Amino acid sequence: MKTLFITMLLFTLAFINCNKNNRILDQAKDDKGKTFYLNHEMSNIDYEIFLNDILVGQSFNNNGLPSPINLNAYIFENGLQKVKIKLTSAPGKKITQEVISRINKNLAIHLLTGHDYNGIKEVVKLDFPAILSPVQQYEHEWSFQADAIKGIDHLKDSQNLVQINKELLQKEVLQKFEELRKLLNEGNGQAFMKEIETAKENFFLAENMSTDKQNEYNADMKEYFDSHKGTLPALGNSTMRIMGNGRAVALENNSNHKGLGILSSEDVENNTFNMNYIILHKPIGSDQFNIFRYNCNYTNLK
């Protein structure tokens, strides 16, 4: 029985000692708990949200839920940050100016200092330009200024994947995803937690998470990954998506659940659908891919 609904995941190690916890919290305190959020109410439409060319949010089958997205883990350096949102209408429908006006109403980047939600302020309003006629797809880019949280990993020390032979790259990416698929299908949550250790540390930093909350999170996440046992199908037809300005890569389903992370699965026994989106990178000087960011959630099977 899953006990956790996860909207955004980025992780560290399965067991974190007190010294590491204190380091994380001290860094967060140095930044006064500043959190940048993208607020949206994009429902009944499919969307992809990118920050600095990393996918940070998406919806499928018009099932997107209006919710704020914590952007801290995707702000790698101080200065200009780039946001892109791509909208796609449902089959047989179009994106109209009425839809755009509804989305524009509450679309913005906000800054929260500390945990006092009365202190939220708007950093930049995100408005899609008006459209003259209905369209199937629509995308736009914006920018805003922000300072990075100390300790957040970036991609400057990652290899440029565009420079790698495409066939070799695809082979290595498939191999890494097959290793991850095997761990999930065995229900080996402990081993999977080790795979995501560095990304999870970034999540704790981004969320300014207390030690107690970190421990609770670790237990919930292990249970979530354990519950995948026997639910992962063999890797099928997939598409490689290179992002992060060429330094990160994800593998997406290209068949039944097109666009979803390739490690998504149907848990018939628990009537849930697990949506797992993993982004990999290869550090300079390494011959191995590691998990850079991780995003997952689950919903009821229909």
Side-chain angles (χ1 to χ4, degrees), residues 26-171:
D26 286 344
Q27 288 175 332
K29 288 175 183 175
D30 289 342
D31 289 291
K32 299 180 180 179
K34 292 183 178 180
T35 307
F36 288 90
Y37 287 100
L38 187 150
N39 187 53
H40 74 88
E41 293 185 12
M42 294 185 288
S43 57
N44 300 318
I45 194 167
D46 284 340
Y47 58 80
E48 293 180 330
I49 302 172
F50 296 85
L51 179 59
N52 297 323
D53 200 37
I54 297 289
L55 186 67
V56 302
Q58 60 185 158
S59 72
F60 297 90
N61 300 322
N62 288 186
N63 64 355
L65 295 173
S67 62
I69 298 176
N70 186 329
L71 301 178
N72 280 7
Y74 305 93
I75 298 175
F76 307 129
E77 297 181 281
N78 298 346
L80 196 68
Q81 317 298 322
K82 296 182 179 180
V83 181
K84 181 173 74 173
I85 300 178
K86 179 179 179 180
L87 306 173
T88 303
S89 64
K93 295 184 178 181
K94 291 291 183 73
I95 300 169
T96 65
Q97 181 53 43
E98 180 181 1
V99 172
I100 295 299
S101 297
R102 186 186 74 233
I103 290 173
N104 283 347
K105 185 177 180 181
N106 293 301
L107 188 62
I109 304 292
H110 290 87
L111 174 62
L112 171 66
T113 301
H115 296 288
D116 181 5
Y117 287 89
N118 292 323
I120 289 179
K121 68 177 182 179
E122 185 177 289
V123 175
V124 60
K125 183 72 174 69
L126 307 181
D127 285 322
F128 280 96
I131 55 176
L132 300 177
S133 58
V135 294
Q136 193 75 39
Q137 292 186 333
Y138 191 38
E139 66 179 67
H140 192 67
E141 297 185 12
W142 302 265
S143 61
F144 67 99
Q145 293 285 337
D147 290 340
I149 299 295
K150 293 178 182 178
I152 293 290
D153 285 352
H154 51 68
L155 290 164
K156 287 199 308 182
D157 297 325
S158 301
Q159 296 180 35
N160 188 340
L161 305 179
V162 177
Q163 298 176 353
I164 300 177
N165 176 275
K166 189 173 181 180
E167 290 184 4
L168 176 61
L169 175 63
Q170 190 157 13
K171 180 180 178 180

